[in-house]
Amino acid sequence: MHVTRAHITAALALALAATLSAPADAGKGRLDFDRRHGPTHGQPLQARDWVLADEQQFFLHQPANSFTGLYRTQGIAVHGDRWFFSWQYGLEIANKKFETVKRNSSFSLPFNLTPGIPPALLAQGLDHIGDIDYHDGIIYAPLDTTNGYTNGHVALFDARDLSYTGVSYELTGAPSNPKKDIASWVAIDHERHRGYGKEWQSGNTINVYSLPGWKWTGVITLDTALESIQGAKVHGDWLYMSSDNSTQSIYRANLRTGKVEELFQLPKPEGDREVEGIAVKEGRDGSLDLYVELIVDPDRSGQDLANKNLRVSLYHYRRAGHGRSDSRD
């Protein structure tokens, strides 16, 4: 996550840095939207298998000063009828209608913050949550410091009330990149008892961790280098990933073979934008649903939190059912 990755406004970041006694330059790498979005190539052949079913829009000021969109700017996971969202400083539970059930953090103007990251972790400089995942009653939240992104951790929160369990693990990647920006997201592989991650920079490997202790055990080598991966989830033998690259592409990678497929590219609404987390949900008929977050700043306001048009769009894509497991694809 570098100067091209956006999460909150410069004014908010500076205010929060002061509030948390962070270094004056903390968060600078995440203040500006990615402006690399240029001409894109056409949709991949795989896109014909996916249909955009609907779009939810979460604004910061609908209702006024609610900041609903802010609390959904980093990651997303789903379990049954419950949705879990993350933003830089906390977590949220929502019901099947995407109505807020509970939050472990709060924000209000002018720059009043109660973080959901526990003080013991904030004291280590861990001031940013990425794309989360759910497993067996626990929310797994990747954490890093915005001052360099070299202190990756994963913290465990109780999915019932979003309280911190007191358990966290330091993340270490491959010897070629043991620390640099490896905690943008974590994904849980229920069947293999593994966790996964990847550096945000371009690379062709996925870090593999043994659960429950998050010990690095090796890598999965991909047949294609990927960059700017903002979120990922496991389904069957595949890891589904959202990318904030120039084409805003959604990929999947086979966990057995390393084969990478570009599935489709997100819509590109006018203004500044950034792709964020991804969720996977299987239907009873064997269909597969993908949900992808996109921050949209149509007025190019620099993520001005007073801008009534600033929003998070949640795109819902559906693939026709052809078997209950991705292992047969």
Side-chain angles (χ1 to χ4, degrees), residues 1-7 29-32 184 200 230 274:
M1 295 184 176
H2 298 282
V3 294
T4 56
R5 299 184 68 179
H7 302 281
R30 301 175 187 266
L31 304 184
D32 297 320
S184 301
W200 190 75
Q230 296 278 60
E274 183 181 13

Side-chain angles (χ1 to χ4, degrees), residues 44-194:
L45 291 177
Q46 290 274 1
R48 63 191 176 189
D49 297 329
W50 295 88
V51 175
L52 179 58
D54 62 70
E55 174 191 357
Q56 300 284 333
Q57 295 185 341
F58 309 126
F59 289 82
L60 273 64
H61 297 287
Q62 291 183 9
N65 302 316
S66 65
F67 292 103
T68 300
L70 180 65
Y71 297 113
R72 301 173 182 183
T73 49
Q74 284 300 303
I76 181 173
V78 61
H79 176 68
D81 291 333
R82 287 218 156 181
W83 295 88
F84 303 93
F85 293 95
S86 60
W87 73 295
Q88 180 169 349
Y89 289 94
L91 304 171
E92 179 189 54
I93 300 172
N95 62 21
K96 62 182 179 181
K97 296 181 179 180
F98 298 106
E99 299 167 333
T100 300
V101 173
K102 189 174 184 62
R103 293 173 181 150
N104 71 351
S105 58
S106 65
F107 171 79
S108 63
L109 291 173
F111 313 120
N112 298 310
L113 170 70
T114 301
I117 301 172
L121 297 182
L122 282 172
Q124 299 179 49
L126 300 173
D127 60 357
H128 186 276
I129 299 175
D131 188 28
I132 58 179
D133 206 351
Y134 169 93
H135 174 58
D136 198 21
I138 296 295
I139 297 297
Y140 292 81
L143 286 163
D144 209 339
T145 171
T146 53
N147 186 17
Y149 308 109
T150 56
N151 191 23
H153 283 67
V154 57
L156 280 58
F157 292 81
D158 192 315
R160 295 171 298 180
D161 59 7
L162 304 182
S163 60
Y164 178 48
T165 65
V167 178
S168 66
Y169 300 98
E170 183 177 5
L171 296 179
T172 300
S176 58
N177 180 25
K179 293 290 184 181
K180 179 63 175 175
D181 217 341
I182 61 172
S184 301
W185 54 270
V186 290
I188 306 298
D189 190 334
H190 310 262
E191 296 182 1
R192 297 173 178 85
H193 305 289
R194 294 176 178 173

Side-chain angles (χ1 to χ4, degrees), residues 162-239:
L162 304 182
S163 60
Y164 178 48
T165 65
V167 178
S168 66
Y169 300 98
E170 183 177 5
L171 296 179
T172 300
S176 58
N177 180 25
K179 293 290 184 181
K180 179 63 175 175
D181 217 341
I182 61 172
S184 301
W185 54 270
V186 290
I188 306 298
D189 190 334
H190 310 262
E191 296 182 1
R192 297 173 178 85
H193 305 289
R194 294 176 178 173
Y196 302 113
K198 184 189 182 301
E199 73 272 10
W200 190 75
Q201 299 89 340
S202 179
N204 69 336
T205 58
I206 300 293
N207 289 319
V208 181
Y209 302 92
S210 62
L211 299 182
W214 287 88
K215 179 181 178 181
W216 182 83
T217 61
V219 299
I220 296 171
T221 301
L222 308 177
D223 65 8
T224 303
L226 300 175
E227 65 177 348
S228 309
I229 300 301
Q230 296 278 60
K233 297 293 183 294
V234 175
H235 186 264
D237 286 337
W238 295 87
L239 183 68

